[in-house]
Amino acid sequence: MTETLYKFNCEVEGVELTCHLEYEPAEFNHGEAPDFPACMNLVNAYCDKVDIAHILMQSIVDHICEEALTQFNSESDE
């Protein structure tokens, strides 16, 4: 894990996960490229010491990324 990843603890369907996500800031007004809102990308999701990110359903990954971004934004506002 690199220092640039955001650590996010959550519970998914009764399972405690320690997730590491990559933050991508919003990009606006870059010529002809489309605008992109800020987002998080799941890199690891540890259940105890086992990384299960690769076996999570996409809907769960999306939920983790959305919740992590919400928490990241609220921490940034403090």
Side-chain angles (χ1 to χ4, degrees):
M1 181 182 77
T2 65
E3 292 180 22
T4 60
L5 297 179
Y6 179 71
K7 183 177 177 181
F8 177 68
N9 295 313
C10 62
E11 181 180 316
V12 176
E13 298 190 14
V15 177
E16 292 289 329
L17 298 176
T18 300
C19 301
H20 300 113
L21 300 101
E22 179 181 43
Y23 174 73
E24 291 188 32
E27 292 188 25
F28 300 108
N29 303 321
H30 286 289
E32 294 181 24
D35 292 344
F36 290 100
C39 68
M40 289 278 191
N41 297 307
L42 184 64
V43 177
N44 307 102
Y46 290 100
C47 178
D48 291 321
K49 296 179 181 179
V50 179
D51 184 4
I52 63 168
H54 63 287
I55 62 171
L56 294 175
M57 293 183 339
Q58 188 61 48
S59 61
I60 293 174
V61 172
D62 293 343
H63 177 73
I64 291 170
C65 292
E66 291 168 11
E67 292 298 315
L69 183 61
T70 299
Q71 181 175 309
F72 179 83
N73 287 336
S74 70
E75 290 172 359
S76 297
D77 291 340
E78 294 175 358

